[in-house]
Amino acid sequence: MKFRIGISMKGRKVIELNKKVLAVGVFAAGLASFAQYASATEYPLTLENCGRTLTFDQAPNRVVSLGQSSTELLYLLGLADRVVGTAVWLGPVQEEFRQVNETIPRLADNDPSFESVVGQKPDMVATQFQWHIGPNGKVGTIDQFAELSIPVYTAPADCVGKDNTTGGDGTRIDAFSMDQIYQGIADLSKIFDVEERGADLIADFKAREKAAREKVAAVNGKGISALFWFSSAEIDVDPFVAGQKGAPAYVMSILGVENVIDSDDEWPTVGWETIARTNPDIIVIGKMDRRRFPADDWELKMQFLKSDPVTRQMNAVKSGNIVVMDAQSMNPTMRTIDGIETLAKAIEAFEATQ
């Protein structure tokens, strides 16, 4: 498959494309379906992705997907038969895709090698994080793949309004929004000429988000405060908690919940004594299969909160308002919608006890 790649000097084109794609969806007497607006893709297809221009002469047939969210999104779009390799898994695949996922080579649970990716002879690579393929990619750089005529599509949630040249998790300049997830769905469905499926999926996610808002409004759940704890380098050191610009901040903001952490960093480390003084009403802890840090284990998080002399005095701990959430719902992924629903249920339960 032929493709052409170029560098765009207009960094805001991605955001502009996002607005144009989402403009086809409207609410009329509730949520209107996007599907009626879907049309067949015309090739060659050119689109902007993370400041680059990608052109596809046909729909890709062999895709390697790096990142669980990117992989599950391809599955949801009915493209499992195009996926020839996966990597970067935080937890089990969605149950509906368990059988098909077992038939697809898993190149690595975490970071695969460059050789293992290109060895699958992909005509496209989908990556969830520029951490893996980007300015300082652990797997490789965009240029390395371009030299082999392999286009790389990066999830907009990891590049729109974000600087990944700083290393690590990068620096989020603008706050995350589900619009970035919807842009990724729209882009991929267009690349693979399955726009109707993508439109239906976006409509479904929007309907679920609207229902969660209404659930919280029904119990007058605004004004509650919360803390999101992802993990910690050690169980008893300053934890990685959600700041004001990542996915948890979006989840809290649309439900009217106050984030007790006021840092603009996506995942700042904050001391437990400082957190205890904010005394959040609800504490959300991340659950994942990954074991990079001891605190990746949600049960160890729970034990710590209940036994540490500082944390056990917080109201959320004493009253049992601790919510276990899939860590992928705390990342800017399509599972963020699950996080919205999980927190909405927690707010409903919290209000019932007041």
Side-chain angles (χ1 to χ4, degrees):
M1 189 193 81
K2 296 179 180 179
F3 87 102
R4 298 182 290 279
I5 181 170
I7 303 298
S8 169
M9 299 304 292
K10 298 180 180 179
R12 293 192 176 273
K13 280 189 176 180
V14 175
I15 297 174
E16 292 170 359
L17 176 65
N18 177 41
K19 292 178 180 177
K20 291 177 183 177
V21 171
L22 294 179
V24 301
V26 295
F27 282 89
L31 184 68
S33 171
F34 282 61
Q36 60 183 303
Y37 300 100
S39 59
T41 299
E42 293 184 5
Y43 299 98
L45 168 70
T46 298
L47 53 77
E48 298 290 325
N49 176 240
C50 297
R52 296 172 293 113
T53 301
L54 296 178
T55 300
F56 295 89
D57 292 324
Q58 63 185 38
N61 289 309
R62 296 180 61 82
V63 184
V64 170
S65 179
L66 308 184
Q68 185 164 348
S69 181
S70 294
T71 301
E72 291 179 336
L73 177 53
L74 290 168
Y75 292 169
L76 279 172
L77 290 172
L79 300 168
D81 61 335
R82 311 285 185 96
V83 181
V84 296
T86 71
V88 192
W89 292 85
L90 284 180
V93 70
Q94 290 177 318
E95 182 59 30
E96 62 189 294
F97 302 119
R98 183 178 58 81
Q99 288 187 328
V100 70
N101 189 63
E102 289 175 353
T103 68
I104 298 172
R106 180 175 292 201
L107 308 182
D109 289 338
N110 294 304
D111 307 338
S113 67
F114 177 80
E115 292 75 16
S116 68
V117 174
V118 299
Q120 299 303 311
K121 299 181 180 178
D123 50 18
M124 174 179 150
V125 174
T127 184
Q128 184 175 335
F129 302 112
Q130 286 193 327
W131 164 263
H132 294 110
I133 304 177
N136 305 297
K138 295 284 289 183
V139 176
T141 66
I142 298 291
D143 289 343
Q144 284 179 294
F145 283 94
E147 288 174 0
L148 299 175
S149 297
I150 302 173
V152 176
Y153 180 85
T154 305
D158 196 55
C159 65
V160 174
K162 187 179 180 188
D163 179 6
N164 288 313
T165 64
T166 58
D169 290 331
T171 301
R172 197 169 287 279
I173 300 167
D174 300 320
F176 165 79
S177 163
M178 279 295 290
D179 286 351
Q180 296 161 12
I181 301 300
Y182 301 147
Q183 179 185 337
I185 295 172
D187 284 350
L188 287 173
S189 63
K190 199 168 186 68
I191 290 170
F192 288 93
D193 193 17
V194 290
E195 290 184 80
E196 186 170 338
R197 297 177 198 169
D200 286 341
L201 186 57
I202 292 172
D204 176 62
F205 280 8
K206 281 182 171 284
R208 290 169 61 186
E209 183 173 334
K210 182 173 181 281
R213 290 174 188 255
E214 291 173 346
K215 177 178 289 189
V216 170
V219 297
N220 193 27
K222 293 192 175 183
I224 295 171
S225 63
L227 170 81
F228 276 62
W229 177 15
F230 190 85
S231 192
S232 306
E234 297 292 342
I235 193 64
D236 57 352
V237 303
D238 295 353
F240 298 110
V241 291
Q244 292 286 335
K245 292 187 175 180
Y250 178 82
V251 170
M252 287 184 271
S253 67
I254 69 160
L255 297 179
V257 173
E258 176 193 356
N259 184 358
V260 298
I261 304 300
D262 60 8
S263 171
D264 279 343
D265 290 344
E266 191 163 1
W267 291 106
T269 54
V270 181
W272 281 113
E273 290 188 0
T274 299
I275 293 171
R277 285 194 291 271
T278 69
N279 204 20
D281 296 313
I282 296 172
I283 296 175
V284 183
I285 59 177
K287 177 182 180 181
M288 68 195 88
D289 283 1
R290 187 195 79 173
R291 290 296 181 268
R292 183 172 295 171
F293 305 123
D296 287 347
D297 186 336
W298 72 270
E299 292 178 313
L300 288 181
K301 290 190 187 77
M302 189 76 77
Q303 292 171 16
F304 173 81
L305 289 172
K306 293 180 178 180
S307 62
D308 181 81
V310 173
T311 60
R312 69 187 183 192
Q313 299 303 317
M314 290 191 287
N315 288 342
V317 179
K318 290 193 290 186
S319 59
N321 289 311
I322 304 174
V323 180
V324 180
M325 181 181 289
D326 177 5
Q328 294 179 91
S329 299
M330 295 182 171
N331 279 325
T333 71
M334 65 176 210
R335 288 203 189 191
T336 301
I337 193 68
D338 297 331
I340 293 171
E341 293 173 332
T342 298
L343 185 59
K345 290 179 183 177
I347 293 169
E348 192 176 42
F350 177 85
E351 286 296 335
T353 63
Q354 300 307 298

